[in-house]
Amino acid sequence: PKMKEDNCLHAALICLAMLYYSHALTTEKLNHARPSLHGHHEKGKEGQVLHRSKRGWVWNQFFVIEEYTGPDPVLVGRLHSDIDSGDGNIKYILSGEGAGIIFVIDDKSGNIHATKTLDREERAQYTLTAQAVDRNTNRPLEPPSEFIVKVQDINDNPPEFLHENYHANVPERSNVGTSVIQVTASDADDPTYGNSAKLVYSILEGQPYFSVEAQTGIIRTALPNMDREAKEEYHVVIQAKDMGGHMGGLSGTTKVTITLTDVNDNPPKFPQSVYQMSVSEAAVPGEEVGRVKAKDPDIGENGLVAYSIIDGDGMDMFEITTDYETQEGVVKLKKLLDFETKKSYSLKVEAANVHIDPKFISNGPFKDTVTVKISVEDADEPPVFLKPSYIFEIQENAASGTVVGKVHAKDPDAANSAIRYSIDRHTDLERYFIINAEDGNIKTIKALDREEIAWHNISVFAVEVHKQHQEHQEAKVPVAIRVVDVNDNAPKFAAAYEAFVCENARSNQQFITISADDKDDSANGPRFIFSLPPEIIHNPNFTLRDNRDNTASVLVRREGFSRQKQDLYLLPIVISDGGIPPMSSTNTLTIRVCGCDSNGSLLSCNAEAYILNAGLSTGALIAILACIVILLVIVVLFVTLKRQKKEPLIVFEEEDVRENIITYDDEGGGEEDTEAFDIATLQNPDGINGFIPRKDIKPEYQYMPRPGLRPAPNSVDVDDFINTRIQEADNDPTAPPYDSIQIYGYEGRGSVAGSLSSLESATTDSDLDYDYLQNWGPRFKKLADLYGSKDTFDDDS
């Protein structure tokens, strides 16, 4: 308590001293502000007289304390001129920054007051202008002069940090004194006046882990071996205090969040020493068996773990990969398993860090091992063929039922179930083969032709037979069947040869070379042997020479061929192959006799052209062609003249009006004739019975009239003849009905045209008027004269 009283006493004495100093300074400034108008002279060196210029104002700076809150305005200073005799004739004027608003002047006494509270942090000084003028005339008595009013600072602003919150990182296990971050605060007070802006940093929270430098604000680690895995984040509070940190100073704080970053200081560890796994023997390579995981408390790349198999009897059967998302080791199957061969495997798996920090290598080793035991589970496996594929051979044209070969499969399971075989019919669409379901023997169903299909590729299924359930395991094996060639095809000409020989050909002259093809394999084909049949081996016209290279040449045996005598020769040639037994065929070569020039170039092979050329000269041929052309021109002209002729070729007499008379066999009704007879019924009486023959197709049978209904040729009974023909027409479904007589008993009412028939007409000839025929033109003149002269005839009679 005594120390606290002494401190309070010292603080009070300091405050009194400051107030005294401020008052004395203000008084001195006021005194200096009084201008002296009395000039005096001074003598310089060597008798020189120096004249001092007269000054109306003597200025010093004025000071005013900021943040004054008293009831009265603060007196800043006083202005006074030497010419002021105190009679009130001089008026003091103040202008400049804040004049009249912040600073006011008593125009009689010259006292300047501050009417408002000033803040140095907003404005540190003001520039004002003072002048003395005559009160009555406002005439300047002194020239204007500037002076400065400075705002004197007090400690009214606490320190402020640049950020309210800071975030920093430092590696774990850093040495003591490692720099973490620097925090900086600022004070708005005047740093040149007193200790108002002198800051000192201290730590309020975060000890004993961190410390801060008092002058710089640098935060450093204070404890060694801080472990991120134990505590990762720290909250530190830093204080900045002015007045050099002494009592009475203002302070500000900030929060700093410090995170320890990870380093690789922890090795991976398996949580258990043995892992148990199982896998079915039916699993395929690449299938996942199980997972192991070594825990590493480090994070990021420091916690990455790689897994590997370093020992065990299952190193060849299994493999392990790393899942970097879950940091697990994935054990996968590498090869196929067999429960009957080996039922369990053991692996030694190692987990090691990928990135190792050399600073902490002494904490190692950064790896761990574990034992993985894998048991193989029995599964119902499909049958296994003794071979992965089969190749059989069979001769073509073999009889149906010939055995091609045998496939065999067995059940690898302990049950050793029976096997049944079948052929995949998608691979044997033509059904050439059949397999015995019990023993796997493959046989032919029909003869095979190598020239049609040389290889047959089929697939055979092997299926286990189970009595307990209906699900069957099956296997599939490819079977290739090669059809062995048999010499069953005779060689033939390689092309459709047609030879040409000149009439002037020389004896033993070659005019064509022929070759042969054989559909059989090369073993049953070439070499080919060419020869002439025995019956024409002494052919007087041509001979054959075997070139012994699967070709033969045909030669002329004699000279002097003539197209007039014979222009075509057919030469049979026998071709044999080298198969066992050999096959042969007789092929016919067509040889034409042609005309050639002296060089042997072909000119013509047409016998008729040759004969015509022999009997007629070139001039005669030209004359014949000219005559033909002239006849064609005459015919064309005649046809053209006929088309251009205006009058018809056939001239009708003026009295001939047959072309104007049209005969109709039908008398149809008018537009309202809806009660007429069925035309189809009238045309064909058979339509009454429901049978209507088709007129647009040929009938399937021809009706043959009955012999008994046909009258004798010498019969003169016309009635019997007509009845016979009518009966034949009625019974013949193919007879066209177009020549039948159609009778209509009703002509219809309201027809605009009326009826042209005079039958059943109630009127007489005398009631009809035919004068309108005169208006029908010259074609109907004859008809108009016939009907129009009725009155004349009546008068004459």
Side-chain angles (χ1 to χ4, degrees):
K2 186 175 181 180
M3 291 181 63
K4 291 183 179 178
E5 291 178 358
D6 292 342
N7 291 335
C8 293
L9 181 60
H10 290 166
L13 292 175
I14 292 173
C15 291
L16 291 174
M18 292 179 64
L19 290 175
Y20 175 78
Y21 173 77
S22 176
H23 182 268
L25 184 61
T26 304
T27 305
E28 182 182 0
K29 291 175 181 178
L30 291 174
N31 293 332
H32 287 181
R34 298 175 181 271
S36 177
L37 302 179
H38 299 282
H40 60 275
H41 302 280
E42 295 180 359
K43 289 185 179 181
K45 296 179 180 180
E46 297 179 359
Q48 181 181 1
V49 178
L50 299 177
H51 297 276
R52 182 178 179 182
S53 61
K54 178 183 177 180
R55 279 181 33 182
W57 305 91
V58 178
W59 299 106
N60 285 323
Q61 291 182 349
F62 289 168
F63 292 87
V64 61
I65 297 177
E66 67 170 335
E67 303 295 344
Y68 176 75
T69 59
D72 299 326
V74 178
L75 177 62
V76 178
R78 182 181 180 185
L79 300 179
H80 185 74
S81 177
D82 290 342
I83 62 175
D84 186 2
S85 59
D87 55 1
N89 291 328
I90 295 178
K91 179 181 179 180
Y92 295 98
I93 299 174
L94 186 66
S95 63
E97 298 174 347
I101 301 174
I102 300 175
F103 303 100
V104 296
I105 188 171
D106 187 344
D107 60 354
K108 292 182 179 181
S109 64
N111 291 333
I112 302 174
H113 292 83
T115 61
K116 293 184 178 181
T117 301
L118 301 180
D119 188 358
R120 190 202 67 85
E121 286 70 38
E122 292 183 1
R123 189 157 190 166
Q125 65 182 19
Y126 296 86
T127 302
L128 299 173
T129 302
Q131 190 175 21
V133 299
D134 187 272
R135 183 177 297 275
N136 297 323
T137 62
N138 286 331
R139 180 177 60 83
L141 301 178
E142 295 286 348
S145 184
E146 291 184 352
F147 66 96
I148 297 174
V149 177
K150 288 191 173 182
V151 181
Q152 188 173 357
D153 182 50
I154 64 172
N155 189 17
D156 60 341
N157 291 282
E160 293 183 358
F161 284 92
L162 299 180
H163 303 284
E164 183 178 357
N165 293 288
Y166 288 84
H167 295 275
N169 298 322
V170 64
E172 62 175 332
R173 300 187 181 277
S174 297
N175 296 327
V176 175
T178 302
S179 176
V180 180
I181 189 175
Q182 182 178 13
V183 295
T184 304
S186 61
D187 197 320
D189 293 327
D190 189 359
T192 63
Y193 181 75
N195 294 327
S196 299
K198 186 177 181 181
L199 305 180
V200 174
Y201 299 94
S202 61
I203 183 168
L204 300 182
E205 295 181 14
Q207 296 173 332
Y209 305 104
F210 300 94
S211 63
V212 63
E213 292 184 359
Q215 304 301 325
T216 61
I218 297 176
I219 302 175
R220 299 182 182 273
T221 58
L223 286 181
N225 298 325
M226 286 191 292
D227 191 2
R228 184 200 66 84
E229 288 74 30
K231 186 176 182 180
E232 183 176 6
E233 192 173 81
Y234 296 85
H235 298 281
V236 179
V237 177
I238 302 297
Q239 174 185 266
K241 191 174 183 180
D242 59 12
M243 297 299 292
H246 293 94
M247 183 178 297
L250 303 178
S251 63
T253 60
T254 186
K255 294 181 180 179
V256 182
T257 302
I258 301 175
T259 303
L260 297 183
T261 57
D262 185 59
V263 296
N264 190 10
D265 58 341
N266 295 282
K269 292 290 182 181
F270 283 104
Q272 58 195 70
S273 59
V274 178
Y275 283 86
Q276 296 286 347
M277 299 180 184
S278 62
V279 61
S280 172
E281 65 172 337
V284 296
E287 186 172 337
E288 181 178 329
V289 178
R291 293 186 174 223
V292 297
K293 184 175 183 179
K295 295 182 179 181
D296 191 332
D298 295 324
I299 60 175
E301 66 176 13
N302 297 318
L304 294 180
V305 179
Y307 298 88
S308 61
I309 300 175
I310 60 175
D311 196 7
D313 57 359
M315 293 183 63
D316 297 334
M317 305 302 294
F318 300 92
E319 61 182 356
I320 189 168
T321 59
T322 303
D323 186 348
Y324 287 103
E325 292 185 359
T326 61
Q327 290 298 303
E328 293 177 323
V330 183
V331 180
K332 295 182 179 180
L333 184 63
K334 190 176 180 181
K335 295 181 180 180
L336 292 174
L337 301 173
D338 187 7
F339 174 80
E340 289 73 24
T341 303
K342 190 174 179 61
K343 297 179 175 58
S344 64
Y345 295 88
S346 178
L347 303 174
K348 188 176 183 179
V349 176
E350 179 184 80
N353 280 136
V354 178
H355 303 282
I356 299 177
D357 194 338
K359 297 179 182 179
F360 307 100
I361 193 68
S362 60
N363 297 352
F366 286 86
K367 57 186 177 180
D368 194 16
T369 58
V370 71
T371 301
V372 179
K373 294 184 177 180
I374 303 174
S375 60
V376 181
E377 297 178 349
D378 189 19
D380 187 10
E381 300 177 81
V384 178
F385 283 93
L386 298 184
K387 296 181 180 180
S389 63
Y390 291 86
I391 299 177
F392 299 127
E393 291 184 353
I394 185 174
Q395 287 189 345
E396 64 174 328
N397 302 326
S400 177
T402 302
V403 176
V404 178
K406 181 179 180 180
V407 297
H408 182 69
K410 65 177 182 178
D411 183 7
D413 297 322
N416 195 18
S417 302
I419 305 297
R420 296 186 65 87
Y421 303 93
S422 63
I423 295 177
D424 184 1
R425 288 305 172 187
H426 293 91
T427 61
D428 186 26
L429 297 176
E430 301 295 332
R431 294 184 177 273
Y432 287 104
F433 306 98
I434 191 174
I435 190 170
N436 190 309
E438 303 296 335
D439 57 12
N441 277 322
I442 302 175
K443 298 180 180 180
T444 61
I445 300 178
K446 49 187 176 181
L448 305 178
D449 188 359
R450 190 203 68 85
E451 288 71 39
E452 182 179 353
I453 302 176
W455 284 88
H456 293 267
N457 297 304
I458 64 174
S459 297
V460 175
F461 289 111
V463 182
E464 295 180 0
V465 180
H466 296 288
K467 297 181 180 180
Q468 293 83 359
H469 51 82
Q470 296 181 353
E471 294 183 2
H472 304 302
Q473 294 286 345
E474 66 177 16
K476 186 177 181 180
V477 68
V479 178
I481 301 174
R482 176 177 175 267
V483 181
V484 180
D485 184 48
V486 173
N487 192 20
D488 57 347
N489 291 279
K492 296 181 180 180
F493 276 158
Y497 293 107
E498 186 175 6
F500 301 93
V501 63
C502 295
E503 290 181 307
N504 54 358
R506 300 184 303 274
S507 178
N508 292 328
Q509 179 181 347
Q510 174 184 336
F511 59 90
I512 190 174
T513 300
I514 59 176
S515 61
D517 283 339
D518 195 330
K519 293 182 179 181
D520 291 325
D521 197 5
S522 58
N524 292 317
R527 127 164 153 78
F528 298 124
I529 300 174
F530 298 86
S531 62
L532 295 177
E535 61 270 14
I536 62 167
I537 193 170
H538 299 292
N539 188 302
N541 299 315
F542 306 100
T543 185
L544 184 68
R545 182 180 63 201
D546 193 339
N547 297 326
R548 298 183 179 277
D549 58 356
N550 297 322
T551 64
S553 301
V554 182
L555 297 85
V556 177
R557 173 168 286 185
R558 66 178 179 84
E559 297 181 356
F561 289 92
S562 175
R563 283 182 290 172
Q564 295 179 354
K565 295 182 180 179
Q566 185 174 353
D567 62 343
L568 183 66
Y569 292 89
L570 300 178
L571 180 64
I573 298 176
V574 178
I575 306 175
S576 302
D577 59 21
I580 300 174
M583 298 286 292
S584 63
S585 66
T586 301
N587 302 263
T588 302
L589 178 64
T590 302
I591 304 173
R592 293 186 179 277
V593 180
C594 301
C596 304
D597 57 11
S598 58
N599 296 326
S601 299
L602 188 66
L603 294 178
S604 174
C605 296
N606 193 341
E608 289 77 12
Y610 180 85
I611 296 172
L612 183 62
N613 189 25
L616 296 176
S617 63
T618 304
L621 291 175
I622 294 175
I624 292 173
L625 292 176
C627 292
I628 293 173
V629 171
I630 292 172
L631 289 175
L632 291 175
V633 171
I634 293 174
V635 171
V636 170
L637 291 175
F638 180 74
V639 173
T640 303
L641 292 176
K642 284 183 61 178
R643 291 182 177 179
Q644 294 179 354
K645 191 173 182 180
K646 295 182 180 180
E647 297 182 359
L649 296 178
I650 302 175
V651 180
F652 291 99
E653 296 181 0
E654 184 178 357
E655 295 79 13
D656 192 356
V657 294
R658 288 176 296 176
E659 65 177 7
N660 298 325
I661 301 174
I662 301 174
T663 302
Y664 295 90
D665 293 335
D666 300 338
E667 295 184 3
E671 288 84 350
E672 299 181 1
D673 185 4
T674 60
E675 301 177 359
F677 291 94
D678 186 2
I679 297 178
T681 304
L682 294 175
Q683 291 179 345
N684 186 8
D686 292 336
I688 301 176
N689 299 326
F691 175 79
I692 301 177
R694 296 284 299 274
K695 305 175 186 179
D696 54 345
I697 61 175
K698 182 179 180 181
E700 297 181 357
Y701 64 93
Q702 296 291 335
Y703 175 78
M704 297 300 295
R706 288 175 294 179
L709 298 178
R710 188 177 300 276
N714 298 327
S715 176
V716 295
D717 191 347
V718 179
D719 186 41
D720 293 340
F721 177 79
I722 292 176
N723 291 332
T724 301
R725 292 295 185 227
I726 291 174
Q727 188 174 4
E728 290 179 358
D730 291 342
N731 295 327
D732 187 1
T734 64
Y738 304 114
D739 58 349
S740 62
I741 301 176
Q742 301 171 3
I743 302 174
Y744 293 84
Y746 179 73
E747 295 184 288
R749 297 188 300 271
S751 176
V752 178
S755 177
L756 297 178
S757 175
S758 61
L759 301 176
E760 298 182 1
S761 178
T763 60
T764 60
D765 293 342
S766 60
D767 297 332
L768 300 176
D769 185 8
Y770 300 99
D771 293 339
Y772 60 87
L773 296 176
Q774 299 292 339
N775 301 326
W776 285 16
R779 290 182 176 273
F780 296 92
K781 185 176 182 301
K782 190 68 174 178
L783 186 61
D785 293 341
L786 293 175
Y787 285 86
S789 61
K790 177 183 64 174
D791 297 338
T792 306
F793 295 155
D794 293 341
D795 295 341
D796 294 342
S797 59

